[in-house]
Amino acid sequence: MWLGGIYIITFHSYDHFKKYCFKIASNKEIKLVKKQYKAFDEFEIVPGFLNQLKISKKIDFKDCVLNKIVALFKSNKIDEATTTMGYLGRKIEKFEKGEVNIYYVFTSFQSMLGMEIEFTEEFINSMNVKDVCYPSKIRVLEITETTEKIYSISTDGIEGKGIFGIYFIYDNAGNLAYIGKSSSCVVTRSIASATERKLIDFLRIEIRETKTKSDIAIYEAYYISKFKPYCNNDLIFEDETTLSLPELPVIKTFKRDVSNDYFEFKYSYVQSKVYDIDIILPKLNDSIFIENDKNKTLLESIGLFDKYTMRKEAYDKCLNEIRENGYINVSDLKFNI
């Protein structure tokens, strides 16, 4: 049977599974060693262990663990397959001896085979913490609300193509944070630089035009050495400059009201988190759900998705509001000048 592009085999017994794997290895002219044969013996406990817990409605899973191993054999990952088999078999033995919690048994299935095993809500809600199969931790879906800002600036007077020279960026406290240069478009470069250095909430940017492009590097080095902005790394020295160059005129200033020039957008999203069972049990309510397909579908049906999806929707809506009010996102300035 084909399922999701993978051919699924129904094995009649564990011996059937072993012979099938041995046949794959033989067809690939791979000779198994003693340690790999031993892994099959260690792994024999695994399918029965999983099926018994599924029958008792303590866990649920979709993938067949035997087919997961077969897929590794078919992909020429036989060493990986037998190592995984031996490890998982021994992990279950440790659980049965009380040496490891069952939660960590199932995380191994996820990390090694990509096999998702979920504890059923019925079992978790039983709160039977004395059951050896009751997990010490559980993964849940938590609805989280957060608020972010988009820093804005009025579109009035924003132009400047072809201007070359030096720019000064002042942070939201009015301190000189960075000095840079551009020989093509200093306006565009200054905004890009503010974005790159996380100075998007700047108080102002001053644009100083040089007479020639040859002057740009000289003036950049001069101003950095003279004013020592804290975001510049090069050309910063402990002593002071003894040279004095004529001041460049400020031909353009982008000013922002840092207390008001931003728009907030709020959104809720679903995140997957792991909690200690004793901490999360009292909190299972309308904002925290046991992670499983049913609850994922439930949350999606009411329009709640992962952070990326929900943030993009709220962000795009906020951008439209900014534009309707005659403003522009500061980080988008470099694309609009």
Side-chain angles (χ1 to χ4, degrees), residues 2 14-15 22 41-42 54 60 75 80 95-96 103 107 152 161 192 198 218 225 232 275 284-285 315 323:
W2 286 94
Y14 189 74
D15 190 56
F22 294 162
D41 296 334
E42 293 171 320
K54 187 172 185 178
D60 195 16
S75 300
E80 179 181 338
F95 161 73
E96 293 181 335
Y103 171 81
T107 56
S152 57
K161 289 184 178 179
K198 303 187 185 303
I218 297 171
S225 296
N232 286 91
Y275 281 102
L284 289 175
N285 52 34
Y315 182 85
R323 291 164 185 154

Side-chain angles (χ1 to χ4, degrees), residues 49-61 95 102 106 117-126 128-135 138 290-292:
F49 176 80
L50 293 178
N51 289 332
Q52 183 59 43
L53 289 180
K54 187 172 185 178
I55 291 170
S56 62
K57 297 184 178 180
K58 294 180 179 180
I59 65 170
D60 195 16
F61 55 86
F95 161 73
I102 197 166
F106 294 148
I117 300 175
E118 302 170 345
F119 292 98
T120 65
E121 288 194 70
E122 178 183 351
F123 182 45
I124 296 302
N125 290 333
S126 73
N128 186 7
V129 295
K130 293 184 179 180
D131 191 315
V132 294
C133 292
Y134 206 79
I138 190 169
I290 296 169
E291 184 170 326
N292 54 41

Side-chain angles (χ1 to χ4, degrees), residues 177-234:
Y178 189 79
I179 294 175
K181 68 179 187 301
S182 175
S183 59
S184 55
C185 182
V186 69
V187 175
T188 303
R189 180 58 203 144
S190 68
I191 300 299
S193 183
T195 304
E196 292 164 4
R197 288 163 181 82
K198 303 187 185 303
L199 295 168
I200 208 68
D201 57 343
F202 62 83
L203 178 66
R204 72 182 187 277
I205 295 178
E206 295 176 348
I207 304 298
R208 303 179 180 228
E209 187 176 20
T210 57
K211 292 181 179 179
T212 69
K213 292 185 177 181
S214 297
D215 290 342
I216 292 175
I218 297 171
Y219 265 98
E220 182 194 34
Y222 170 68
Y223 279 134
I224 291 174
S225 296
K226 181 177 180 180
F227 295 115
K228 301 177 175 27
Y230 65 82
C231 282
N232 286 91
N233 296 317
D234 297 329

